Amino acid sequence: MLLNTENTAKPPSRISGRQIEYLIVAMLVAVTLALLFAMGFFSHAMAETNESKPQRFAGYVRPNDMGTGALLFPSKEPGSFVEAPRLATDVVIDVNGPIVRTRVTQRFENPSKGWVEGTYVFPLPESSAVDTLKMQIGDRFIEGEIKAREEARRVYEEAKAEGKKTALLEQQRPNIFTNQVANIGPGETIVVQIEYQSSVHQSGGKFSLRFPMVVAPRYNPDPIVQTVDLDPKSGYAVNDPVPDRDKITAPVLDPAENARINPVTLTVNLNAGFPLGTVTSPFHQTEMQTVDDMARKISLKGGSVPADKDFELSWNAIAGKTPNAGLFRETQNGKTYLLGFVTPPTASAATETPAKREVVFVIDNSGSMAGPSIEQARDSLALAISKLRPEDKFNVVRFDDTMEVHFPSLVQATPDKRENAIAFVRGLTADGGTEMLPALEAALRTQGPVEPGALRQVVFLTDGAIGNEAQLFEEISKNRGDARVFTVGIGSAPNTHFMTKAAELGRGTFTLIGSEDQVAARMGELFAKLENPVMTDIAVSFDGANAQDITPNPMPDLYRGEPVVLTAELDGATPAGKLQISKTGNQPWRIEMDVAKASEGKGIAKLWARRKIDDLEANAYAVNDAAALDKQIETVALANHLVSRVTSLVAVDVTPSRPVNEPVVSTDLPLNLPEGWDFEKVFGEKPQQAIPEGQRKASLEQSEQQAMVVADRMAAAPTARAASMIADAGKQVDLPQTATLADRHILIGLMLLAFALMAATTFSLWRWQLRGLVSEARDRVR
């Protein structure tokens, strides 16, 4: 029995070497067949993805489908995405004296396999009179028509539904526009051209223009729930401070993870009208050609730049040749339109300076100010505080999504208080949201009444990255009192609409600081305005001519070095009479200019109409009948073919191009983060991926280089042949690869698993054989 038990537990007899070889060969054959089956399965899946999916989803893709890098947006089809259209922009700015004409050519390229609609949120100068929209299809240009906003939207949607190529240009703010282009076919490039009229900015003998390139992300306060009375019952109502938040918001790329996109080429043909001294561009490297003593041709060095910061150009006259007055005219539809400017004599501002000033400084330390912006703001404010006189009073208010008033009330500007405030300012860091309204309320409402003989000044340092401008304008209009509001724009892409309008409503001025190098000079200009008395009681009239409208109305107060700039509409096509600009009160003066001697200009009627609309909009807070106001604006805009808050430009191709059974996918074109901004401070922190620094830098450099290749290939003139070449070139460009190679990784994993299985089996057989040998040895010993 014991022997039987031992025999039962004994390991199996030893397997021969030839049997092991047969087992291993059989296993290799099985694993090979399994791998071949897996490869065939994945090849079939890839073929289905690359061929069946585009047909099935009409242009939708999945991340693993992408052989090149691309920006993908979620689609209506679960698990599928659509590749965003690409954009390149060419800008040509013609300056003739004080008049600027700008042509912006936008090229929308569809790199996907389906039909798309692209929406691009872009900035223009807040005073621009946009009057032209053209859409190029092949060798045809389709001219846009001005229509009431709702009608233009209806025409666009109908054309989109019918498969016709169509474009719609709408104003969301005076400095934010959206361009929608529908039915861009697979691989197609659609060229859309916009033109606008504007004027040169003058101050202190310097002339300048600014072309914004990117809409900075706006902070939009949440809707407020208020208790209201609804007839006899009490209920709730939601008051949204930014009702159009979806219209002014676009996806923004993180510069740490994506190459800068939306390349821009830019050329300025400058004909100043006087002998030029210096011509400078502080934020971009440029190349300059001298045409003659009054003209220059300026272009961006290197051809193109990513759209991530505003372009600025400034110039002045050679010594002794700075113009102090000018008058230009244009005749249209039986009327004469004038553009005039006069810089008052400096001596006229020599009135008594107030013995004391009360200055309230407001500084923005929200997340959008992170990086160079907060440094510029801190330096500017510290310099301003140090310039206060002991007889002045001051306070400092800082805000992000919270608000803090540094001193309980206005304090005397003694050395110790100034040092205390400067230390407070130096310790500020940028983070959080941009709740600007409470800070402005604190500056205007809580500092007590103005002392007799003193001048209250509110100095606001911010990038203006907010969407609720209307709330701020209303606060200034209603609660400014005797104070004057001065705005200081900070950063590479400030909200100049907010800054300019806030200063205008506050009877102050707007100063722009775009880099550390400009802090001392620009703040010096602001100090000169703060410390010198304002010129008031300026009047404009005509002798011998019937003026229908003069803008702006009323004339603004002026600070030292600032000109009176006006437009006017006169009856009759034959210019006659004299323009009179005068100041009453202390040290009165008057200047007369003969209308008949005005120089011929082009686009002045558009400038008058734009400023007329601005005047109407400025009075919106005091108008009870909003519908009547909108009708007035619409009448002026339609008569002058201008885009406004209530009118839009729409262009439609009469020939349908998209097949009826092919759907169109809507996407928002992404924007760059403005240069110097911190993505995480604006949008919040994200989980960090462990990417080696060297690899990350190399990837970004490769992305930048290939993005520039796209820019260069898309920068040709918008002719029919060029548009075709652009589309072909775009198809051939290999962008950086960002999609995962999941299929390859799975195959490699299966092979490794197979080899591991073979090794484990061989090891098991070897142990089995070894145990058999040991058992035989024991039997012999017994």
Side-chain angles (χ1 to χ4, degrees):
M1 293 293 295
L2 292 174
L3 180 60
N4 292 338
T5 304
E6 185 178 357
N7 290 339
T8 304
K10 188 175 66 175
S13 62
R14 181 163 54 95
I15 301 175
S16 68
R18 186 168 297 278
Q19 287 176 319
I20 293 175
E21 291 176 1
Y22 287 154
L23 284 172
I24 292 175
V25 169
M27 188 172 297
L28 284 173
V29 171
V31 169
T32 301
L33 290 173
L35 287 175
L36 289 173
F37 173 79
M39 292 176 65
F41 172 80
F42 281 105
S43 298
H44 175 75
M46 291 172 64
E48 181 184 353
T49 298
N50 294 333
E51 297 177 9
S52 302
K53 295 292 184 179
Q55 297 173 4
R56 179 178 167 191
F57 295 122
Y60 293 166
V61 297
R62 299 182 188 274
N64 289 341
D65 300 344
M66 305 303 296
T68 60
L71 183 70
L72 304 181
F73 290 112
S75 71
K76 296 179 181 179
E77 183 70 29
S80 297
F81 297 80
V82 63
E83 189 174 356
R86 298 167 188 158
L87 177 81
T89 302
D90 180 64
V91 182
V92 178
I93 303 174
D94 295 320
V95 181
N96 290 293
I99 303 171
V100 181
R101 183 71 179 178
T102 303
R103 183 174 69 251
V104 181
T105 305
Q106 298 171 342
R107 296 169 181 82
F108 296 83
E109 180 193 7
N110 176 15
S112 72
K113 297 180 181 180
W115 294 80
V116 300
E117 173 192 35
T119 300
Y120 178 47
V121 180
F122 65 100
L124 289 179
E126 66 280 354
S127 59
S128 56
V130 182
D131 58 9
T132 299
L133 170 69
K134 295 178 181 177
M135 182 172 61
Q136 183 185 3
I137 301 172
D139 58 353
R140 296 177 294 121
F141 277 95
I142 300 167
E143 193 85 20
E145 298 181 3
I146 193 73
K147 295 181 181 295
R149 186 176 182 123
E150 292 183 359
E151 182 183 357
R153 167 61 64 179
R154 178 184 57 77
V155 170
Y156 174 82
E157 294 294 344
E158 288 178 356
K160 182 176 73 171
E162 294 169 358
K164 300 175 182 177
K165 287 181 169 58
T166 179
L168 177 68
L169 179 65
E170 293 181 315
Q171 174 186 307
Q172 310 302 340
R173 297 285 191 280
N175 65 333
I176 299 180
F177 292 77
T178 54
N179 197 1
Q180 287 183 267
V181 183
N183 294 319
I184 310 175
E188 280 189 337
T189 295
I190 300 298
V191 179
V192 176
Q193 200 169 83
I194 299 162
E195 296 184 27
Y196 67 86
Q197 200 80 6
S198 59
S199 58
V200 170
H201 179 261
Q202 304 178 48
S203 181
K206 296 180 181 179
F207 300 78
S208 64
L209 63 84
R210 192 175 183 90
F211 180 79
M213 290 190 181
V214 63
V215 175
R218 298 289 196 260
Y219 177 84
N220 300 316
D222 292 331
I224 302 170
V225 178
Q226 297 177 322
T227 301
V228 296
D229 290 329
L230 299 175
D231 295 328
K233 298 181 180 180
S234 178
Y236 291 98
V238 176
N239 178 26
D240 192 344
V242 193
D244 59 348
R245 60 184 68 223
D246 59 320
K247 297 291 188 181
I248 62 174
T249 303
V252 178
L253 297 186
D254 184 349
E257 299 179 2
N258 300 274
R260 298 280 177 171
I261 58 171
N262 301 343
V264 177
T265 62
L266 184 144
T267 302
V268 180
N269 299 308
L270 172 61
N271 182 12
F274 51 78
L276 282 165
T278 60
V279 180
T280 59
S281 176
F283 310 133
H284 291 83
Q285 292 185 329
T286 59
E287 296 177 345
M288 192 176 307
Q289 301 176 19
T290 299
V291 180
D292 55 42
D293 63 337
M294 296 186 183
R296 303 284 190 275
K297 182 176 182 178
I298 301 98
S299 58
L300 293 173
K301 191 172 183 178
S304 66
V305 297
D308 63 355
K309 60 182 173 181
D310 294 354
F311 173 83
E312 183 179 300
L313 188 73
S314 60
W315 61 95
N316 58 17
I318 61 175
K321 297 296 183 179
T322 302
N324 57 17
L327 189 62
F328 304 83
R329 72 168 187 261
E330 180 183 34
T331 301
Q332 258 193 17
N333 301 323
K335 292 183 180 293
T336 299
Y337 296 89
L338 296 179
L339 170 64
F341 75 90
V342 172
T343 302
T346 304
S348 65
T351 60
E352 294 185 5
T353 302
K356 296 178 291 185
R357 287 187 300 146
E358 299 176 350
V359 188
V360 183
F361 297 104
V362 184
I363 181 170
D364 179 353
N365 68 307
S366 63
S368 65
M369 294 283 288
S373 294
I374 192 64
E375 296 174 8
Q376 296 163 22
R378 286 192 302 240
D379 291 345
S380 301
L381 184 46
L383 186 58
I385 293 172
S386 69
K387 293 288 186 179
L388 292 172
R389 301 168 298 183
E391 59 268 25
D392 296 333
K393 286 186 175 182
F394 80 107
N395 206 343
V396 178
V397 180
R398 67 115 205 120
F399 71 94
D400 42 37
D401 49 15
T402 63
M403 185 267 294
E404 179 181 0
V405 181
H406 185 53
F407 298 115
S409 61
L410 289 166
V411 297
Q412 212 71 38
T414 56
D416 61 324
K417 294 297 185 184
R418 293 201 302 268
E419 291 176 6
N420 178 279
I422 290 174
F424 170 72
V425 170
R426 292 293 187 193
L428 294 177
T429 58
D431 206 353
T434 313
E435 292 288 351
M436 192 178 293
L437 184 59
L440 183 60
E441 291 172 345
L444 296 178
R445 301 188 195 183
T446 67
Q447 301 303 309
V450 180
E451 290 188 9
L455 177 63
R456 176 74 57 84
Q457 298 169 331
V458 176
V459 180
F460 216 99
L461 297 94
T462 177
D463 57 14
I466 55 169
N468 60 324
E469 295 99 328
Q471 280 189 314
L472 280 297
F473 297 154
E474 186 173 7
E475 174 65 22
I476 294 172
S477 299
K478 291 182 176 180
N479 298 301
R480 179 180 66 86
D482 295 327
R484 294 181 180 273
V485 178
F486 297 79
T487 55
V488 181
I490 302 291
S492 61
N495 181 358
T496 54
H497 162 56
F498 167 72
M499 316 295 262
T500 303
K501 197 67 178 178
E504 179 184 322
L505 294 171
R507 311 293 281 184
T509 63
F510 167 46
T511 302
L512 185 61
I513 297 176
S515 67
E516 285 282 345
D517 298 338
Q518 294 182 328
V519 170
R522 298 287 170 90
M523 290 303 289
E525 296 170 6
L526 177 60
F527 298 150
K529 295 172 182 178
L530 293 173
E531 295 170 358
N532 287 282
V534 65
M535 183 181 296
T536 59
D537 304 319
I538 297 170
V540 176
S541 61
F542 285 88
D543 182 15
N546 183 16
Q548 295 293 320
D549 279 291
I550 302 173
T551 66
N553 183 23
M555 285 290 132
D557 297 338
L558 296 182
Y559 292 82
R560 178 169 293 183
E562 292 187 337
V564 179
V565 181
L566 62 92
T567 61
E569 180 190 55
L570 306 181
D571 280 343
T574 304
K578 292 183 179 181
L579 168 64
Q580 299 175 336
I581 303 175
S582 60
K583 175 191 178 299
T584 58
N586 295 333
Q587 297 188 348
W589 57 266
R590 187 173 73 176
I591 294 177
E592 291 186 346
M593 290 185 283
D594 192 340
V595 174
K597 295 181 180 180
S599 299
E600 292 288 341
K602 190 175 181 180
I604 297 173
K606 304 284 188 184
L607 293 178
W608 170 85
R610 176 73 257 177
R611 295 189 178 193
K612 175 67 176 177
I613 292 172
D614 288 344
D615 282 349
L616 292 170
E617 294 280 22
N619 295 325
Y621 307 112
V623 175
N624 294 325
D625 191 345
L629 175 67
D630 289 352
K631 191 62 180 178
Q632 286 182 278
I633 295 171
E634 181 183 305
T635 299
V636 175
L638 291 177
N640 292 275
H641 210 260
L642 294 184
V643 177
S644 69
R645 179 174 56 82
V646 297
T647 55
S648 305
L649 279 166
V650 61
V652 178
D653 184 15
V654 296
T655 305
S657 58
R658 175 173 56 85
V660 178
N661 61 341
E662 290 284 354
V664 61
V665 178
S666 298
T667 67
D668 294 331
L669 273 74
L671 305 180
N672 293 316
L673 191 71
E675 184 182 72
W677 281 42
D678 186 321
F679 187 90
E680 292 181 357
K681 293 287 187 180
V682 179
F683 296 101
E685 296 185 1
K686 302 178 300 179
Q688 296 297 313
Q689 296 180 351
I691 302 175
E693 182 65 19
Q695 179 182 344
R696 188 181 69 84
K697 288 184 177 180
S699 176
L700 282 175
E701 288 175 1
Q702 182 185 13
S703 298
E704 294 281 3
Q705 292 171 359
Q706 299 201 21
M708 288 301 103
V709 170
V710 177
D712 293 339
R713 296 191 181 189
M714 295 183 69
T719 62
R721 177 168 176 76
S724 175
M725 292 173 64
I726 289 167
D728 292 339
K731 296 174 186 176
Q732 297 168 3
V733 174
D734 292 326
L735 294 178
Q737 184 167 325
T738 57
T740 61
L741 300 175
D743 51 349
R744 184 183 302 174
H745 294 165
I746 292 173
L747 287 174
I748 293 172
L750 286 172
M751 292 176 66
L752 291 175
L753 286 173
F755 284 121
L757 179 61
M758 288 175 60
T761 304
T762 303
F763 179 68
S764 298
L765 290 173
W766 176 81
R767 288 185 62 193
W768 196 359
Q769 183 77 1
L770 182 61
R771 290 175 62 187
L773 291 172
V774 171
S775 177
E776 288 180 4
R778 287 177 178 173
D779 290 342
R780 292 192 189 99
V781 171
R782 290 174 183 172

